[in-house]
Amino acid sequence: MKNKNKLSSQIDFDKNIPLEKKISDPDVVSVLFHEKKQMILRILIHEEKNIMDLKKELKMNPGTIKRHLDDLRGKKLVAEPRIVINKYGIKEKYYHTTAKRFIVHLEWP
Amino acid sequence: MNKKGSKKHSYIHEALVDIRLSWRLYKSNFKVFLGAQIISILVYTFLLFPWELILMFFFGIDFNYNITLLLNIRSLIGGFLISIFFGSSFGLSYDIMSGGDQFTELRGFFHYFKQYWWQYILLSLLLVSGTFLSSFIYGLFFSGPIEDALYVLFLNITIIIIYKVLMYFWITIILQTFPSLTSQGSIKNALHENFKLLRVNSKRILSSLLLFFLIFNFSWTLLQILDLSMRILAVEMRWVWYQNFIQSYSIIFPLIQFLAQTIFIFLLAIPMLALVSTRIYNSLKMGDNKVEE
């Protein structure tokens, strides 16, 4: 049952997210090259996850992950989380990227 | 199984889910609860422990000021602070269960401290007011001189049990106000919602908190009764070896008991109570009384 729900949520996730997004703002580009944020994005680009899932995979403090996610949301690299109330009455926020692929487009000067 | 039996089974199942889930979330947020409760323990020990009496008794240090007055003032301030810390643990539990990220941070503890300090004091006063009744009962039983040690033991055990049962019912009646306060933001609405929830879901709340009390409170009570029984029986039955054993550790025993009780209550029972209560509140709010695995 759990796998079935996970599969249907994954299908929705794949369907609703744009395939690619161009980034030309240097501030956003610099965020993309931050090591920890990159690690988070690499996971969220494939599948939506909550902070506790990310904690298990990245072995990072959940508070640190939360702050990285807030930064990524501020730069529109991560979307507003999907909120689910699970069968135990606990609210869960699932995070995902705003695109399946980010293309960096920079012109200088 | 008939409908009544199945409903009874559902309450037991719910109570087990409450404890299991709260334990899982307690473990995953242990560091934050540890930090918050260490602050509480330090304040409790510093303000409520009668340091002056210990120093006077063991080291003969004489204090020039009125110790009783100082202890009373310290107890009052300490009691208020502990009440706020107790309430803030419910705020942390609310963050974990309703914040969406299933975790909380220590700064949340100070946030709730600042936001709801006077509401927590009022609610805690309401919560402890039930214990006054049991003190009154104690006074009634021990109003005259009692010679028979076994009768004293019987009375003590009866009073401890009555006290614990009254405490359980009283806490059950008031407790849902704490998570409701964080959710509603107003003490008036929280009290109103608490009684509304209690009226409709009394069996669910009673059964879940009964399991909590059996694990975290009555287990401790059994130890208290055992200790008391051994002490009185040792006098009555002339167990010299046991009396010598107790006397030789008369200084260490109360200290160990104080430390063990403080650590158990602050580090385990209070965070678990806050989590269990918030879980009950959330599940009742979402109208989910039949949780399935």
Side-chain angles (χ1 to χ4, degrees):
Chain A
M1 187 67 181
K2 197 181 172 187
N3 284 340
K4 200 179 166 187
N5 283 340
K6 204 170 179 180
L7 187 68
S8 69
S9 116
Q10 183 63 32
I11 290 165
D12 290 343
F13 172 73
D14 288 341
K15 225 187 324 186
N16 295 331
I17 308 251
L19 281 178
E20 53 183 47
K21 185 176 178 179
K22 277 186 187 169
I23 298 164
S24 51
D25 183 347
D27 282 348
V28 182
V29 174
S30 68
V31 168
L32 263 183
F33 285 95
H34 185 281
E35 190 197 344
K36 302 283 181 195
K37 290 184 176 66
Q38 223 175 61
M39 284 160 72
I40 293 170
L41 283 173
R42 272 183 208 282
I43 295 169
L44 297 182
I45 228 159
H46 296 292
E47 198 179 354
E48 60 172 8
K49 298 266 184 190
N50 61 33
I51 287 188
M52 295 324 267
D53 293 335
L54 289 170
K55 180 195 162 192
K56 271 182 213 155
E57 288 192 35
L58 298 168
K59 307 269 183 288
M60 276 164 71
N61 182 299
T64 312
I65 298 174
K66 171 86 175 149
R67 277 181 274 284
H68 283 313
L69 281 170
D70 287 343
D71 287 348
L72 291 166
R73 276 167 64 196
K75 303 291 180 196
K76 307 260 187 289
L77 294 170
V78 165
E80 285 299 306
R82 185 171 68 91
I83 295 172
V84 175
I85 294 182
N86 73 14
K87 60 182 180 177
Y88 299 115
I90 297 175
K91 196 194 268 186
E92 286 185 304
K93 283 182 185 169
Y94 282 92
Y95 297 88
H96 59 83
T97 48
T98 47
K100 301 288 284 174
R101 194 165 173 233
F102 295 105
I103 298 166
V104 177
H105 181 84
L106 272 184
E107 280 181 29
W108 192 87
Chain B
M1 200 184 286
N2 61 26
K3 203 176 171 184
K4 206 175 171 184
S6 136
K7 208 159 187 184
K8 195 176 168 188
H9 177 262
S10 157
Y11 291 136
I12 297 168
H13 177 72
E14 280 282 304
L16 286 169
V17 171
D18 288 339
I19 298 288
R20 274 211 307 259
L21 190 71
S22 300
W23 179 243
R24 183 169 67 78
L25 292 170
Y26 170 72
K27 280 194 295 179
S28 61
N29 288 279
F30 177 71
K31 279 183 194 168
V32 179
F33 280 121
L34 181 72
Q37 298 309 323
I38 281 177
I39 295 169
S40 307
I41 290 174
L42 288 177
V43 169
Y44 175 72
T45 314
F46 182 72
L47 288 171
L48 299 183
F49 197 76
W51 294 108
E52 288 87 350
L53 295 181
I54 301 284
L55 292 171
M56 262 174 74
F57 187 74
F58 290 113
F59 301 102
I61 298 171
D62 194 20
F63 293 92
N64 293 325
Y65 47 81
N66 186 339
I67 292 175
T68 317
L69 180 70
L70 184 84
L71 283 177
N72 285 338
I73 293 169
R74 274 210 335 238
S75 300
L76 193 71
I77 297 168
F80 283 159
L81 284 173
I82 294 299
S83 303
I84 309 172
F85 292 149
F86 176 76
S88 302
S89 299
F90 284 80
L92 291 181
S93 302
Y94 192 84
D95 278 352
I96 295 167
M97 291 195 176
S98 307
D101 293 321
Q102 289 182 53
F103 84 97
T104 185
E105 290 180 283
L106 195 58
R107 61 180 171 177
F109 189 67
F110 300 108
H111 164 78
Y112 287 110
F113 184 100
K114 201 175 146 194
Q115 195 170 354
Y116 295 116
W117 64 273
W118 67 267
Q119 287 98 327
Y120 288 146
I121 290 175
L122 277 183
L123 289 179
S124 299
L125 280 174
L126 195 62
L127 206 65
V128 297
S129 61
T131 58
F132 295 144
L133 184 66
S134 46
S135 307
F136 177 69
I137 293 169
Y138 194 91
L140 279 182
F141 276 103
F142 287 98
S143 49
I146 298 163
E147 300 288 326
D148 188 355
L150 286 176
Y151 179 62
V152 173
L153 175 65
F154 168 75
L155 268 186
N156 264 298
I157 293 174
T158 314
I159 288 161
I160 288 172
I161 292 169
I162 291 172
Y163 170 72
K164 291 291 172 178
V165 172
L166 281 176
M167 199 173 96
Y168 155 69
F169 278 109
W170 185 251
I171 287 177
T172 305
I173 290 168
I174 305 295
L175 197 68
Q176 293 309 310
T177 320
F178 282 89
S180 180
L181 176 66
T182 325
S183 168
Q184 302 285 327
S186 132
I187 195 164
K188 195 180 155 196
N189 292 348
L191 281 165
H192 182 258
E193 190 178 44
N194 170 64
F195 291 116
K196 196 175 149 196
L197 287 173
L198 194 70
R199 206 170 49 239
V200 184
N201 307 282
S202 54
K203 283 182 188 166
R204 159 86 172 90
I205 297 172
L206 280 166
S207 59
S208 284
L209 288 176
L210 177 66
L211 184 63
F212 174 86
F213 269 80
L214 284 174
I215 300 170
F216 293 98
N217 196 300
F218 295 153
S219 58
W220 195 261
T221 309
L222 279 180
L223 285 177
Q224 258 182 299
I225 290 173
L226 186 73
D227 176 50
L228 188 71
S229 310
M230 288 293 280
R231 280 166 195 267
I232 291 178
L233 285 174
V235 176
E236 192 70 2
M237 306 290 183
R238 294 190 179 84
W239 293 341
V240 182
W241 63 272
Y242 190 76
Q243 289 179 49
N244 289 342
F245 176 71
I246 293 287
Q247 270 170 9
S248 55
Y249 292 101
S250 60
I251 303 166
I252 299 168
F253 266 166
L255 199 65
I256 290 174
Q257 198 186 6
F258 175 80
L259 284 174
Q261 203 163 354
T262 307
I263 289 169
F264 182 81
I265 291 171
F266 281 100
L267 290 190
L268 196 63
I270 291 178
M272 278 298 286
L273 181 67
L275 284 164
V276 167
S277 167
T278 311
R279 146 78 186 150
I280 296 170
Y281 177 80
N282 279 0
S283 67
L284 293 179
K285 283 286 278 182
M286 69 184 270
D288 171 27
N289 287 332
K290 286 171 189 145
V291 174
E292 287 162 17
E293 285 276 25

